[in-house]
Amino acid sequence: MTAKPGIRAVHYDDFCQGNHHQRRGNRSMSSLLRSIIGCLWAAAFYPSAAVAQEPAKEVLIGYVAPLDDPDAASGAQAAQMAIEETNAAPVRIGNINVSFKLLEQNDKADTRAAERIAHYLAKTEAVAVVGHWTSTTSIVAAPIYTEAGIAQLAPIAWSSLYTQVAGKSHFQGVGSDDLAMYYAVDYLSSSLFLKRVMVIDDSALLGVSMANSFEKYAKKAGMETLRRSVSTQTSDFNSPLLIAKQFRSELILFTGRGAQSAVLAGSMKRLGVSSRLLLTGPVVSPEFLTKINYSDEDLYAIVPGPPKDGNAKIQNFRKRYVARFNREPAPFAMFAYDCTLTLISAIKKADSLDRRRIIASLYEVNYSGLSGVMSFNRDGTLKNPSYTLYQTEKSRWTVRKTIKAPV
């Protein structure tokens, strides 16, 4: 700033640090008073200098997932990108400057590790948690977060059992599996005229829950069903697939994760099983089809959210993600991004870092995310969720139906 003629330019630091000429010896009381008055004068006339020196309070948001899993790790990167984009502009909560920091924890999709981490986060200064990644770990952690009064927003825990856990602090970032299976059966039964279907679950909580829902709706639609279960760790699908062949199943539903889904699809080709295959894991990517060398048009998948290339927001997110991490985002990464920004939106709306006020704010928030508007019912379920049904066509995934649940 240029001083006016006859007026010396005064800097805030000159006053507050006492860097002005004084006589040698102890500072006199009058000198000290002049210094204090000078500080107050500088703060009044140069408020930006005072604000600029105010340190930002670090606000922790937990992120819990099996970070060894590529899909969950991609979600962590997307959440980190949301944090960085938020911190790029000044944020004030409760009249103080804040900056957000992601506190990552690896629960390895293990329930005991999930419980241990939930207890740890409850004792930290974390104001909310994005996680956990699987339905099983999200469910076991929910009572711990409820007792601690800390908000838990699970990005892809779409088991309907999750929001049935007692308490009001856990929220679902995607629509429920029960609704997804209802829509899948409704579409496939009318378009493929199915009569016999085989359901194979992976024995995990979400897999069993999905299989139960699909079987329920398939029977209501007049289909004959056959049910089998496998281990979450198995790579041997010979027995259930040979049974499916004898049963002359027209469609097989498998509710396992991406890696097992790839093994199952390959095993079907090897054994000559001609059934169509419906998957529910994070499989809608070119990499998945390349991995299994799949070019037929009998592979289906139903996943939460809108089409992955469905709007400009998602495309822009993908470009920013690739520029930041030099890789494509995993199919479910955008949900971690949305959930992180939804929590931040709730914190801003509450204008508070108090955990319980943040929980209350989440019931009022309406955040427009990549996957749609993030807004919650009183039971923590997502309002008006969407789902997308894909089918393979010419070695790529093609959208067959986009479903928007009614409000």
Side-chain angles (χ1 to χ4, degrees), residues 31-249:
S31 175
L32 179 60
L33 287 172
R34 283 197 300 272
S35 181
I36 293 172
I37 293 169
C39 286
L40 295 173
W41 184 89
F45 286 90
Y46 299 92
S48 60
V51 172
Q53 290 196 2
E54 179 188 325
K57 177 180 175 61
E58 189 175 76
V59 178
L60 298 177
I61 294 178
Y63 179 90
V64 192
L67 297 177
D68 300 327
D69 179 273
D71 297 308
S74 181
Q77 290 178 329
Q80 179 59 38
M81 193 169 81
I83 293 288
E84 292 171 1
E85 291 174 352
T86 299
N87 289 338
V91 180
R92 289 180 70 79
I93 303 295
N95 206 33
I96 60 171
N97 289 340
V98 303
S99 65
F100 293 96
K101 181 179 180 180
L102 204 65
L103 182 57
E104 293 184 10
Q105 298 291 305
N106 186 357
D107 68 4
K108 301 182 183 295
D110 177 77
T111 54
R112 285 180 294 182
E115 289 179 331
R116 187 165 59 249
I117 289 170
H119 281 297
Y120 162 72
L121 288 176
K123 294 176 182 177
T124 69
E125 293 185 356
V127 297
V129 175
V130 177
H132 296 211
W133 194 252
T134 69
S135 291
T136 305
T137 52
S138 296
I139 288 170
V140 301
I144 300 168
Y145 295 128
T146 295
E147 184 178 357
I150 184 169
Q152 176 193 8
L153 179 48
I156 63 163
W158 52 330
S159 171
S160 54
L161 300 176
Y162 169 57
T163 50
Q164 293 175 24
V165 176
K168 295 293 183 182
S169 65
H170 37 284
F171 302 81
Q172 201 164 31
V174 292
S176 76
D177 60 330
D178 187 73
L179 267 178
M181 294 302 99
Y182 168 79
Y183 290 124
V185 170
D186 182 63
Y187 174 82
L188 294 172
S189 62
S190 59
S191 61
L192 301 180
F193 306 103
L194 299 173
K195 295 180 180 178
R196 289 181 298 278
V197 296
M198 185 171 188
V199 178
I200 304 175
D201 68 70
D202 66 348
S203 299
L205 185 146
L206 176 62
V208 172
S209 174
M210 282 186 170
N212 289 343
S213 293
F214 187 91
E215 195 171 24
K216 172 182 65 179
Y217 294 123
K219 287 179 177 178
K220 285 184 177 180
M223 301 179 203
E224 186 180 355
T225 65
L226 185 63
R227 179 77 172 267
R228 289 293 184 273
S229 297
V230 297
S231 163
T232 55
Q233 305 301 318
T234 191
S235 59
D236 181 5
F237 291 93
N238 289 351
S239 177
L241 289 179
L242 290 174
I243 293 172
K245 199 172 182 178
Q246 294 172 354
F247 181 60
R248 291 179 294 137
S249 175

Side-chain angles (χ1 to χ4, degrees), residues 10-26:
V10 182
H11 294 280
Y12 180 75
D13 288 346
D14 290 339
F15 286 104
C16 294
Q17 295 180 14
N19 292 331
H20 47 80
H21 295 291
Q22 298 181 24
R23 294 179 179 179
R24 291 182 180 180
N26 294 331

